[in-house]
Each structure stands twice: as C-alpha cells, then as structure tokens.
C-alpha cells in the first residue's frame, strides 16, 4: 500500500492497522463500506471492474452482466467475470456481491459457502 515509505517508528503500518480495524468492524456488523488507501495493481480494465465492485451497496448484489453494462462494456460479461476473479482485495473490494444473471451464487476464491455466509451476513440472501 505504501511502497517505498519506511514504517513509523512504532513498527506499525497505519494502512495495515486501519485495514485490520475496518475488517473487524465489518465482521462485527458495524461497517458497510471500507475507506482505505488502495493501490491494487491490474490492467485498466480490471481496475475499472474493481471500481464498479466498490460501488455495489452493502446488502445488495449485481450480476456480471450488470457490471459489464455499468462500465459501458455490455458484451464483456466473461471478461468482467475474469477481472472479478482476479480481485486481489476480496471483501474490501466486494467481489462476493456479484452473482449469476439468474441470481445463483457463482465463483468466489474463498468458496461458495463463504460467499453465502458473507451475503447472508449483509442481508442480501
């Protein structure tokens, strides 16, 4: 996140500390959106998809097609799926909120059981 910068004298990285705190708040049901300095590497297309994922509200889902339309690439549904699968920051960049066009749970690096748990916790299922 902060490349090239020396960690503070305390040995703590403020970005990592904020990430840990915000994830704990999310799992405790007290956080719905993350506010972290993200610098995930990826292609311009992947980053466009990841920004669209960040725009999916807590407790809601979108289909791969919805994301493709949102970014102005309605025929790129499979490419959206591939970019979603390469998301290096799951949960923070909520790829678990993307489902099949018929609402079925599809692909998640952590497994479909975890995806179901996350969406249930958010009230989307």
């Amino acid at each position: 996140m902060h490349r090239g910068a020396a960690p503070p004298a305390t040995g703590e990285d403020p970005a990592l500390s904020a990430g840990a705190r915000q994830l704990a708040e999310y799992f405790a049901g007290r956080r719905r959106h993350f506010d972290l300095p993200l610098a995930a590497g990826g292609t311009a297309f992947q980053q466009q998809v990841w920004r669209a994922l960040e725009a999916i509200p807590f407790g809601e889902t979108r289909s791969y097609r919805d994301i493709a339309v949102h970014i102005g690439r309605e025929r790129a549904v499979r490419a959206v799926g591939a970019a979603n699968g390469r998301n290096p920051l799951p949960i923070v960049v909520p790829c678990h909120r993307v489902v099949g066009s018929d609402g079925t749970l599809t692909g998640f690096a952590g497994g479909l059981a975890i995806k179901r748990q996350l969406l249930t916790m958010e009230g989307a299922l």
Side-chain angles (χ1 to χ4, degrees), residues 7-32:
T10 63
E12 292 183 23
D13 182 310
L16 291 177
S17 296
R21 179 180 46 77
Q22 289 185 30
L23 280 166
E25 291 168 356
Y26 169 80
F27 285 112
R30 295 188 315 265
R31 177 169 290 276
R32 294 175 170 237

Side-chain angles (χ1 to χ4, degrees), residues 7 20-21 26 51 62-64 75 79 88 96 102-103 109 116 119:
R21 179 180 46 77
Y26 169 80
R51 281 190 301 275
R62 299 290 185 271
S63 71
Y64 296 97
R75 298 183 72 169
H96 62 280
D102 62 356
R116 182 175 290 109
L119 291 173

Side-chain angles (χ1 to χ4, degrees), residues 11 18 27 39 45 50 53 59 64-65 69 74 80 83 102 105 112 120:
F27 285 112
F45 179 80
W50 300 336
L53 299 179
Y64 296 97
R65 178 166 304 287
V69 169
E74 62 188 43
V80 164
D102 62 356
L105 300 187
L112 294 182
T120 299

Side-chain angles (χ1 to χ4, degrees), residues 30-49:
R30 295 188 315 265
R31 177 169 290 276
R32 294 175 170 237
H33 184 275
F34 292 90
D35 181 24
L36 297 168
L38 304 178
T43 67
F45 179 80
Q46 288 170 333
Q47 291 187 18
Q48 187 178 28
V49 169

